[in-house]
Amino acid sequence: MSLKTEIEFTLNGVKRRATVPVEMSTLDLLRDVVGLTGTKYGCGEGECGACTIEVDGLTVNSCLMFAVDCAGRSVNTIESLAGEPLGERLRAAFVEQGAVQCGFCTPGMMMQAAHVLSACGAQDDKAIARGIEGNLCRCTGYKKIVEAIAVAGKATGA
Amino acid sequence: MAVLEKSRKVVAESLIGQRIPKMDAPEKASGKTRYIHDLDLSGQLHARILRSARIHARIKSIDTRAAKALPGVHVVLTAADLPDQRPIGVAKDHFPLKGEVVRSQRDEIAAVAAESVEIAEAALKLIRVEYEDLPVVADARAAIAPGAPLIHPPRQGAPAGAAVAYTGRPDNVAMRFDYSHGDVIQAEADSDVVIEDSFKLHYVTHCCMGVSGVIAEFDASGYLTLYSNTQVPFLHKREFAEYLNMDPARIRIIQPPIGGGFGSKLDVYPFEVICVFLARAAQRPVKLVFTREEEFLASPTRQPVLLTLRSGCKKDGTLTFRTVHTLHDNGAYTSWGATTPFVMMQTFSSLYRVPHCDYHTTAVYTNNPYAGSFRGYGNLQATFAIEQHMDMLADAIGMDPLAFRLKNAQESGEVTGQGMVFKSCGFKDCLTTAATRSDYVVKRAAYRARQKDAGAVKRGIGMASMLHVGGGAKIYPSDGCGTMLKMDDFGALTLITGASEIGQGSETVLAQLVCEELGLPISAVTVVNNDTDITPWDVGVHASRTTFIAGNSAIGAAKKAKAKILAAAARKYECAEETLDLKGGFIVRKESDEALIELAKFIRGLHFSDKAELVMTTFYYEPPSVHQDKGFKGDVSATYAWATQVVEVEVDTATGIVSMTHVTGAHDVGRVLNRLGLEGQIEGGVIMGQGYALTENLMVEDGRIRNPNFRDYKLVTAPEIPAMDVSFIESMDGEGPQGAKGVGEAPAICIAAATANAIENATGVRLFELPFTPEKVYRALHGQTEKLYWAPWKPE
């Protein structure tokens, strides 16, 4: 069977170890090994953004990142936004602005939104739309998602 | 928010028309919602399906020995293991696992249940299949050509009346629809202008962000629980009972939250039945989840349609007739989606007043992908043709297209040639509102005048309108929905409804309607809507019916609860029931809004009294619509929804790139119930329409899908969306819940047609084939496109 390796990394602020097959994706590590299912499989090839996570301050498609490459890094998932000021503002804005319908793209969308706001500060709608262009949504038509991110950005005062 | 003032007066706002966030949004925006992909049952196995390597072939042999021998593999099934398989689908024309012939790229040959997805996939690679190729029918026109290879050739020995899977067919015709009112031949002779054109509509697919999946589990007594993404749980239960030769009472369907539906989850698919077979054989729970590539290959598409439309009018702008012939590519098997002509013929016969109309559809079998149900259900295709012809006829008689439409638009009180009765019709308001807000008339003239100006980028504006069922659609024996309502000792409500939540926001709007009746805040309600062992019957999420049908059902149950409470209160306070009301969580005097008692306290009093009573009610709502007769006539919906959408585009004539810059919509929604949810439905539908018009194209060559991924199948992304301006026309439907109509499908319907009209306005060139990709637009603008023509065809 496949070669396995042990890694140590920080997940949502907590140091942990995991033993992973070398060919495993970070998405599968999160969902199947760690059991955090907020990060979604949408396409498995980096085209839809449903599996967006933050690694060392940058957002990545977790389906395209090998689990072994988490070694020594700080990984944050949708679950990390709970209780965190920007995360709570984003969640409130997504709910109140109607940015959620089926909700399947929402975790990835919020991770990307959190990154856009924390890395670039409050943005105009055009810049926000560019910021989430790698995240597909089939339900909302994006308008309310962009508005929600703008509202959260203003509330942040970033 | 309700307030109890010092004077004991209760002040509370109506919930109707407010912006109420979806009740399930906080969970979804925390990553806590457990979709089917996130559910695991203890002891669960994982399944994968081996699909055909060929498009049309006889299966000579299947060797599963090596797969069965792989450690971790529990079950390998082929058709040979299942002699009791029953044919599935609307036409009962295929078996879940194919044993003799494969007829499409999707076709299921073998299935594996193993201890992990990886082992199941490894096992699939060990299965050896020998094929003998058969000729491929890769085009609907080829399917009806004389001597065409047959997809389901006749078979000897089947009893008369047996399913297509047993009998086969003498031709490739899966379904035929013929409708007529008036006399089109005479009407054509009486017309001043007659035009005829063919239109071609392409393949697109739903692209639900959550891929398809199912979990099947049998308990020790043989009771089946299916965790399913279906939009029609009660129809599913009945179908599964038939396909599995089981008592329906022993089948329970639980619907975890769904990652998008849009019509894709109306049929029972082979993968679902196969998963049950595996669970039965393994005596373990089995989970089957698609990959994205599989989702593209094996989930349904929108109907590709070839259509020839002949229309006429008088010089004064009166429409005279319409003759329509359409050819639909079903793929190898028939889905519910093959019945899209029910919707298409309504648009042709009744969107405008057309005194004479003939409509004919042939749906054919080919070796192409399985075309199914998709938001709008044929109406995007019909509207694409009609609304281009409306512009063309207006131009031919020198009339403004808005004035031409207004002259022929339906109004309240109209009974159409097809027997549809328009009790509340805001169509003319939709037309004028969308035209005014977009400055349509002025811009259209200005852009037309600038067609020959220098500069590669041209601007254009185009309009299209739609009619769609808005009060259910009576297709099944009942078009109803049941509700059970329970009020507890704390004044909290449990609303148990047959209506499924598929992301569209039904649970929130139903909660809102119930709370409005009972004078409670939304926070008082828990909605239970996803378990056939608990919820009362509903026909399912389709035909934009849930707000209307389930809404009326919920109101019915709430009214009964209210009547019960007020009757008891009237006894206690020794007054007439009519003088009491429920408001802000209190029982109040109607005239003064004076609070008599807190509702929860009163209900506790009812419960803990000598005549102990609980407040629990049930209601079943059946809309006052009728089934169509054999000629497809009848008032099939309790009401109808209307909309006009105006699209503005920029066309880069040097590259053929079309950008959609503005969409102005006016929708007759009856009444706005939840403004936030309604806007979300409209905006999402508009962008789905934008994708249909401009970017999405499932490329099928010789029966094979060439772009089963999001790289090559282009969904609209956030920076590409147009500015959207949405207005709501409140026609206050007399039968609707609080006056509302269904709107779920409406916003997607007009966009492609309006875009075609806008491109013509920008460039003077009319496009008859979707999608408007840069290459197609460039070729058309540079005279490199041959005029499309399909000669109407009828089976002999």
Side-chain angles (χ1 to χ4, degrees), chain B residues 46 127 139 221 261 313:
Chain B
H46 298 267
I127 298 173
D139 183 85
S221 312
C313 68

Side-chain angles (χ1 to χ4, degrees), chain A residues 31 40 42 102 138 144, chain B residues 35 38 206 292 679 696 716:
Chain A
R31 291 181 57 84
K40 302 300 177 196
C102 90
R138 192 54 155 166
K144 296 207 179 313
Chain B
Y35 298 86
D38 308 323
H206 305 73
R292 176 56 62 184
E679 286 173 359
E696 294 178 42
V716 173

Side-chain angles (χ1 to χ4, degrees), chain B residues 589-639:
Chain B
R589 292 202 191 280
K590 201 180 242 174
E591 227 169 53
S592 60
D593 283 339
E594 180 206 340
L596 291 172
I597 186 171
E598 203 187 331
L599 181 58
K601 192 176 174 188
F602 183 74
I603 287 174
R604 278 196 297 278
L606 278 181
H607 180 185
F608 301 115
S609 69
D610 295 346
K611 295 177 185 171
E613 264 195 286
L614 295 177
V615 179
M616 290 194 285
T617 60
T618 64
F619 193 80
Y620 188 78
Y621 176 75
E622 182 69 44
S625 47
V626 298
H627 289 98
Q628 288 178 340
D629 63 18
K630 283 188 176 145
F632 302 109
K633 289 179 185 169
D635 194 22
V636 75
S637 184
T639 191

